[in-house]
């Protein structure tokens, strides 16, 4: 059995956890939209055609924000095709996933669904095949009260009140050769600067996200972020990072994915801060991890051979308990960087590498990765605490040596409760001594645990006790993720 020590204090923190960290992503890809969130004629469909059973699971998942409509899809999308009377909308070919897009769901439908679900919308604009004016027009359509061309068009289509979309992505993965309209960092940075500038002239209250690298192992990683921010620093509020971790057969490396994400975040922060220092800016660029998840198989899809049709299934991963443990560990990394990572989008929300799977005309069900996501969203409120962890390391081929135990903690000043999340990345049981720095001790109120060898749903966690010094002793199963609701008690 390995042993580890964890010390924390409610006095030492990184600042508040932004609720937008618990977001997700809806793209016109596979069955995410059609037979996913939207299926007229389904027994649970609401008057607008959206599935109420899926909406109920989205609420249970704790989703706070949803990014839309892409993803790769947005780089060939004409948003005008998805507004107005549905009967008059064109059927178009989606260049990203080689499917037929019927345009039954577009801007107004999605934003209405988000509003009814209490979700913050995060819209992306097409900077692949389109440009500055089209992006500004969409902001005008969504956010201006009325009295202008595009806002009056929205009103004429039956939406009198503006959608007031607060957050906008300036394109998607523009460093990727697979992207329609792929370009260089300098060219994209200039385009993002001008698009963001025009969009903020339409609505000065919005925030914008510029594209960072599509993943950590892009050959241009680091150079891309620096060049883009050199061009667009003053207009940008966030830089994106996308992080997917593949179960490629190296179990230890897969379990170490949270450590890799932590390092990725630190690299992007360092790059952004270096540009800010070079430009002499006081503003800090924060991070939007607006695509993150795990994959059970290689995601490369030969779209050239795909059937040209609506909602052809793609990357419908079936997740295991091991995947749930890794997702929990990735949430630990996000919470431990909550001072700079303000937005997170588990990718995607339904059917496409998603926590929710649906049957067309049938049931919607939770996948294993649903559970750690829902627990973290429910428990992690307030301040992200700084934890000190002392533990052995686990050797991995993919990431080098990583800590065997990872811990994140939050403190809600209103309820005076803590949430503590602990991953045992090792194939050995672990005994973890959890203590409060200074006076007082920590007591467990509730606990849940997921193990790679378990059933997939979290079970009650009761393997804890207090030692003579008042510390909490946690006995963790191998390859496990545990969530605790705790309170701080005065020492008697």
């Amino acid at each position: 059995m390995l042993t580890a020590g964890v010390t924390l204090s409610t006095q030492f923190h990184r600042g508040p956890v932004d609720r937008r960290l618990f977001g997700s992503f809806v793209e016109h890809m596979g069955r995410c939209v059609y037979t996913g969130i939207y299926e007229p004629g389904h027994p649970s469909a609401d008057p607008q055609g959206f599935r109420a059973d899926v909406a109920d699971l989205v609420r249970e998942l704790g989703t706070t924000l949803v990014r839309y409509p892409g993803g790769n899809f947005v780089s060939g999308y004409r948003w005008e095709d998805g507004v107005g009377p549905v009967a008059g909308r064109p059927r178009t070919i989606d260049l990203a996933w080689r499917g037929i897009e019927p345009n039954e769901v577009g801007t107004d439908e999605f934003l209405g669904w988000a509003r009814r679900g209490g979700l913050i919308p995060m819209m992306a604009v097409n900077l692949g095949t389109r440009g500055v004016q089209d992006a500004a027009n969409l902001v005008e359509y969504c956010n201006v009260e009325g009295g202008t061309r595009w806002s009056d068009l929205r009103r004429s289509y039956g939406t009198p009140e503006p959608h007031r979309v607060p957050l906008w992505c300036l394109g998607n993965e523009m460093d990727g050769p697979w992207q329609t309209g792929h370009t260089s960092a300098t060219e994209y940075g200039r385009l993002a600067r001008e698009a963001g500038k025009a969009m903020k002239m339409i609505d000065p209250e919005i925030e914008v996200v510029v594209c960072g690298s599509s993943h950590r192992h892009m050959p241009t990683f680091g150079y891309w972020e620096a060049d883009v921010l050199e061009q667009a620093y003053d207009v940008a509020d966030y830089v994106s990072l996308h992080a997917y971790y593949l179960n490629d057969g190296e179990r230890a490396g897969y379990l170490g994915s949270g450590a890799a994400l932590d390092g990725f975040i630190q690299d992007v922060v360092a790059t952004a801060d270096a540009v800010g220092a070079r430009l002499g800016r006081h503003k800090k660029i924060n991070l939007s991890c607006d695509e993150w998840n795990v994959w059970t198989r290689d995601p490369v899809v030969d779209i050239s051979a795909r059937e040209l049709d609506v909602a052809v299934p793609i990357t419908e991963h079936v997740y295991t308990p091991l995947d749930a443990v890794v997702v929990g560990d990735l949430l630990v990394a996000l919470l431990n960087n909550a001072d700079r990572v303000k937005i997170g989008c588990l990718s995607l929300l339904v059917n496409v590498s998603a926590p929710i799977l649906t049957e067309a005309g049938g049931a919607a069900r939770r996948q294993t990765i649903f559970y750690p996501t829902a627990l973290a969203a429910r428990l992690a409120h307030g301040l992200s605490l700084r934890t000190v962890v002392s533990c052995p390391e686990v050797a991995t081929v993919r990431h080098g040596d990583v800590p065997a135990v990872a811990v994140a903690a939050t403190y809600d000043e209103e309820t005076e409760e803590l949430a503590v999340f602990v991953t045992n990345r090792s194939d050995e049981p672990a005994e973890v001594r959890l203590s409060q720095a200074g006076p007082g001790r920590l007591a467990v109120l509730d606990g849940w645990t997921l193990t790679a060898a378990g059933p997939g749903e979290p079970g009650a966690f009761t393997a804890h006790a207090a030692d003579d010094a008042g510390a909490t002793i946690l006995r963790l199963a191998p390859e496990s993720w545990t969530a605790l609701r705790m309170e701080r008690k005065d020492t008697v």
Side-chain angles (χ1 to χ4, degrees):
M1 177 179 291
L2 67 86
T3 59
V6 179
T7 305
L8 56 82
S9 168
T10 57
Q11 301 301 311
F12 296 96
H13 60 80
R14 301 175 180 84
V17 175
D18 195 312
R19 297 308 300 165
R20 297 175 301 173
L21 196 64
F22 305 107
S24 193
F25 179 26
V26 165
E27 180 172 4
H28 287 253
M29 176 183 180
R31 296 194 312 115
C32 185
V33 175
Y34 304 109
T35 72
I37 64 170
Y38 175 81
E39 189 178 354
H42 188 274
S44 76
D46 66 15
Q48 292 77 29
F50 288 86
R51 290 181 56 154
D53 59 344
V54 172
D56 288 343
L57 288 179
V58 173
R59 279 189 290 274
E60 183 184 333
L61 185 63
T63 305
T64 56
L65 168 147
V66 177
R67 179 173 176 243
Y68 176 87
N72 294 352
F73 173 82
V74 78
S75 291
Y77 181 53
R78 287 178 49 85
W79 67 265
E80 300 92 334
D81 293 341
V83 298
V86 174
R89 297 180 189 176
R91 288 168 65 89
T92 55
I93 296 177
D94 162 34
L95 299 179
W97 307 112
R98 198 175 182 273
I100 296 292
E101 173 52 55
N103 286 303
E104 291 178 32
V105 173
T107 299
D108 292 313
E109 288 80 16
F110 169 76
L111 291 173
W113 174 78
R115 182 176 60 254
R116 292 190 298 276
L119 301 166
I120 300 166
M122 180 182 188
M123 295 285 287
V125 297
N126 178 357
L127 294 187
T129 59
R130 309 192 81 188
V132 174
Q133 188 64 64
D134 303 303
N137 292 346
L138 181 55
V139 176
E140 181 183 324
Y141 182 90
C142 290
N143 286 15
V144 172
E145 188 84 29
T148 66
R149 175 185 177 182
W150 296 105
S151 63
D152 284 346
L153 186 67
R154 182 200 70 242
R155 294 170 66 92
S156 75
Y157 289 157
T159 307
E161 295 299 319
H163 295 297
R164 304 193 192 283
V165 177
L167 191 60
W168 296 80
C169 299
L170 302 180
N172 174 76
E173 293 186 356
M174 297 308 298
D175 63 330
W178 58 85
Q179 201 71 215
T180 309
H182 165 64
T183 187
S184 70
T186 300
E187 290 169 339
Y188 166 73
R190 289 171 179 166
L191 177 58
R193 179 188 65 212
E194 296 307 311
K197 184 168 67 177
M199 292 161 71
K200 287 186 172 184
M201 286 179 179
I202 299 294
D203 184 353
E205 300 301 314
I206 65 171
E207 294 184 304
V208 301
V209 183
V210 297
C211 292
S213 296
S214 0
H215 58 80
R216 174 64 179 81
H217 300 292
M218 289 294 290
T220 56
F221 172 67
Y223 296 103
W224 173 276
E225 282 81 358
D227 202 349
V228 167
L229 288 174
E230 288 279 358
Q231 306 295 325
Y233 198 96
D234 291 336
V235 75
D237 299 289
Y238 307 91
V239 61
S240 73
L241 65 157
H242 292 176
Y244 293 99
Y245 296 92
L246 173 65
N247 185 358
D248 63 357
E250 192 218 342
R251 196 175 182 94
Y254 188 46
L255 283 157
S257 296
L261 176 57
D262 185 74
F264 184 12
I265 291 167
Q266 294 302 319
D267 289 344
V268 176
V269 167
T271 304
D273 287 352
V275 175
R278 192 158 57 247
L279 296 176
R281 302 295 190 266
H282 296 294
K283 178 180 81 171
K284 295 289 187 185
I285 301 292
N286 286 320
L287 276 57
S288 173
C289 190
D290 44 47
E291 291 187 30
W292 70 271
N293 206 342
V294 298
W295 283 330
T296 63
R297 59 184 181 273
D298 194 316
V300 175
V301 177
D302 181 9
I303 63 171
S304 65
R306 294 188 75 224
E307 180 184 359
L308 199 59
D309 203 350
V310 177
V312 177
I314 185 172
T315 60
E316 296 195 2
H317 300 295
V318 176
Y319 287 113
T320 68
L322 173 62
D323 300 319
V325 171
V326 176
V327 163
D329 196 36
L330 295 172
L331 285 159
V332 167
L334 292 173
L335 289 167
N336 277 335
N337 289 279
D339 53 335
R340 298 301 293 271
V341 182
K342 302 298 182 181
I343 299 158
C345 299
L346 180 65
S347 176
L348 274 66
L349 182 59
V350 185
N351 288 330
V352 183
S353 61
I356 300 169
L357 276 180
T358 70
E359 297 174 16
R365 65 180 178 86
R366 305 164 189 84
Q367 292 235 62
T368 61
I369 65 171
F370 183 101
Y371 298 105
T373 308
L375 274 171
R378 177 156 62 90
L379 298 175
H381 288 268
L383 304 171
S384 171
L385 300 183
R386 297 185 180 276
T387 59
V388 179
V389 182
S390 173
C391 66
E393 293 186 322
V394 173
T396 79
V397 174
R398 201 183 320 178
H399 311 303
D401 293 344
V402 303
V405 173
V407 182
T410 62
Y411 176 60
D412 188 331
E413 293 178 295
E414 292 184 9
T415 64
E416 297 188 339
E417 289 186 356
L418 295 89
V420 179
F421 308 95
V422 189
T423 311
N424 180 9
R425 297 169 175 153
S426 168
D427 60 4
E428 299 179 47
E431 183 173 277
V432 177
R433 185 176 189 274
L434 177 63
S435 60
Q436 155 82 18
R441 62 183 181 85
L442 300 173
V444 176
L445 301 174
D446 286 300
W448 303 263
T449 193
L450 286 160
T451 67
E457 292 188 39
F461 180 77
T462 56
H464 58 84
D467 69 8
D468 293 341
T472 302
I473 306 300
L474 308 176
R475 295 181 179 87
L476 307 178
E479 301 176 345
S480 64
W481 180 82
T482 300
L484 303 172
R485 188 169 69 91
M486 307 187 76
E487 65 178 352
R488 185 167 57 85
K489 291 182 174 292
D490 294 331
T491 304
V492 178

